């Protein structure tokens, strides 16, 4: 995956609070065994911490001037995105939102932007307080995506993903799929408390995988609003394989087998490895969000 070296990155779409502190309160999901349990319960690549009954109403993290400057001063162009991981996330967020703005306009609607918050260790959100152990998530309460970059190392070392830049892009695009669902009113269907292979929780996650694939299909043809050129200049077959591999690595069956030694479909919240690959591939093959109806 390569970015246009001369493109200007829009850092306003990402809030960097790495190294910040969360005033008051305390996170109710920790690392170690608690973190593994949280992952098995299904927050990984999911929707806000309220799914696990975490404390709500925690204050937002207070960023230090040095942490905010990491993004604002260091991530200016596509060239920076080609050399720095945090800048790459900024560029992917820009590309994903460029696509959804254009798609909504094409369909006669209006897309509402959502920021990504980069944090370390723990973060307070409108959905509750969470640690990095729960993985990336989208909070519908404040319409923001939350991401600890350290998760990408865990994706490779703990979950067996091949890794790579596009595996990271898939994660980001999946979370923005939840934002699209929130705008469309479908996200609430996952909040009925049910689990299992045919549950709404699984269908919502598979649809977000499909939406990630739809973006990937159009990533190299979506024009950047400032330059009129695509921000992403190339995606290879190897990149797409990395995305498919990341999708499979976080299938419920793979996670359960790895961490509890058996597969229990009645507890699924995100879908099997095969399902996650299938729906990302469906989105990528068709490029049509209308083909992402996982509720049929």
């Amino acid at each position: 995956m390569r970015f246009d070296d001369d493109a200007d990155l829009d850092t306003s779409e990402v809030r960097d609070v790495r190294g910040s502190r969360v005033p008051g309160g305390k996170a109710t999901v920790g690392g170690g065994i608690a973190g593994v349990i949280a992952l098995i319960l299904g927050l990984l690549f999911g929707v806000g911490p309220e799914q696990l009954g975490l404390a709500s109403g925690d204050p937002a993290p207070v960023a230090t001037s040095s942490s905010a400057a990491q993004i604002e001063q260091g991530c200016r162009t596509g060239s920076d995105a080609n050399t720095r991981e945090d800048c790459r996330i900024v560029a992917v967020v820009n590309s994903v939102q460029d696509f959804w703005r254009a798609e909504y306009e094409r369909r006669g609607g209006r897309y509402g932007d959502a920021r990504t918050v980069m944090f370390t260790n723990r973060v307070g959100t409108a959905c509750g307080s969470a640690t990095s152990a729960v993985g990336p998530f989208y909070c519908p309460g404040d319409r923001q995506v939350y991401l600890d970059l350290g998760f990408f190392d865990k994706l490779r070392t703990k979950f067996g993903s091949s890794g790579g830049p596009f595996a990271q892009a898939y994660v980001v695009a999946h979370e923005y799929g939840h934002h699209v669902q929130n705008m469309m009113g479908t996200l609430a269907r996952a909040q009925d408390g049910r689990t299992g292979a045919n549950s709404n929780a699984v269908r919502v996650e598979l649809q977000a995988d499909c939406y990630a694939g739809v973006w990937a299909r159009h990533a190299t043809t979506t024009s950047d609003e400032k330059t009129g050129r695509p921000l992403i200049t190339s995606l290879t077959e190897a990149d797409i394989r990395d995305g498919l591999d990341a999708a499979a690595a976080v299938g419920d069956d793979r996670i359960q087998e790895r961490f509890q030694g058996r597969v229990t479909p009645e507890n699924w919240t995100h879908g099997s490895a095969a399902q996650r690959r299938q729906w990302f591939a469906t989105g990528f093959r068709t490029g049509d969000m209308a083909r992402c109806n996982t509720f049929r």
Side-chain angles (χ1 to χ4, degrees):
M1 180 171 65
R2 292 286 300 179
F3 301 93
D4 177 1
D5 283 334
D6 297 324
D8 292 327
L9 301 185
D10 183 358
T11 59
S12 70
E13 294 185 349
V14 175
R15 184 171 177 230
D16 186 3
V17 297
R18 291 173 292 174
S20 66
R21 59 184 179 84
V22 180
K26 60 181 180 180
T28 56
V29 172
I33 296 299
V36 170
I37 291 173
L39 294 176
I40 292 174
L41 286 173
L43 187 56
L44 183 66
F45 288 18
V47 183
E50 79 280 359
Q51 286 188 321
L52 296 183
L54 306 193
S56 61
D58 292 303
V62 177
T64 64
S65 58
S66 59
S67 70
Q70 290 184 64
I71 291 294
E72 293 175 5
Q73 297 178 13
C75 301
R76 296 182 179 275
T77 68
S79 178
D80 298 322
N82 285 322
T83 57
R84 279 181 49 169
E85 181 182 48
D86 52 359
C87 300
R88 180 162 60 242
I89 299 303
V90 173
V92 170
V93 170
N94 289 171
S95 174
V96 169
Q97 298 211 105
D98 281 343
F99 167 72
W100 286 116
R101 286 188 201 101
E103 180 67 8
Y104 265 70
E105 183 176 354
R106 185 178 73 83
R107 292 174 176 268
R110 182 177 180 181
Y111 174 78
D113 289 359
R115 283 201 298 183
T116 287
V117 179
M118 292 185 189
F119 72 98
T120 51
N121 300 322
R122 70 185 181 97
V123 66
T125 81
C127 296
S129 180
T131 73
S132 56
V134 302
F137 63 92
Y138 170 72
C139 173
D142 55 27
R143 295 161 62 105
Q144 295 187 132
V145 171
Y146 290 87
L147 175 64
D148 186 329
L149 297 185
F151 170 77
F152 295 127
D153 290 331
K154 296 177 183 177
L155 183 61
R156 180 174 47 83
T157 60
K158 287 190 175 183
F159 298 97
S161 169
S162 59
F166 191 74
Q168 299 175 0
Y170 153 71
V171 173
V172 174
H174 172 98
E175 295 307 329
Y176 275 90
H178 286 313
H179 177 56
V180 171
Q181 291 171 324
N182 189 36
M183 293 181 59
M184 296 177 65
T186 56
L187 187 59
R189 299 175 78 166
Q191 307 300 311
D192 59 10
R194 298 178 182 177
T195 63
N198 296 314
S199 65
N200 283 337
V202 167
R203 296 177 190 276
V204 161
E205 295 299 333
L206 296 179
Q207 187 177 63
D209 283 335
C210 188
Y211 286 163
V214 170
W215 160 75
R217 178 71 179 189
H218 298 283
T220 58
T221 57
T222 297
S223 297
D224 178 72
E225 293 182 346
K226 294 181 180 178
T227 66
R229 302 187 306 270
L231 179 55
I232 297 178
T233 58
S234 69
L235 279 181
T236 66
E237 291 184 5
D239 289 326
I240 300 304
R241 285 197 299 271
D242 284 343
L244 289 166
D245 188 68
V250 291
D252 281 322
D253 52 343
R254 293 240 186 128
I255 292 176
Q256 288 176 340
E257 189 170 12
R258 182 179 292 264
F259 291 108
Q260 65 185 30
R262 67 188 188 282
V263 176
T264 54
E266 64 271 17
N267 299 128
W268 286 4
T269 57
H270 285 60
S272 69
Q275 287 175 313
R276 301 200 72 166
R277 285 178 59 95
Q278 172 196 338
W279 281 104
F280 175 83
T282 296
F284 182 72
R285 184 182 69 254
T286 66
D288 182 2
M289 67 181 298
R291 301 291 294 273
C292 295
N293 184 6
T294 57
F295 294 91
R296 289 178 299 184

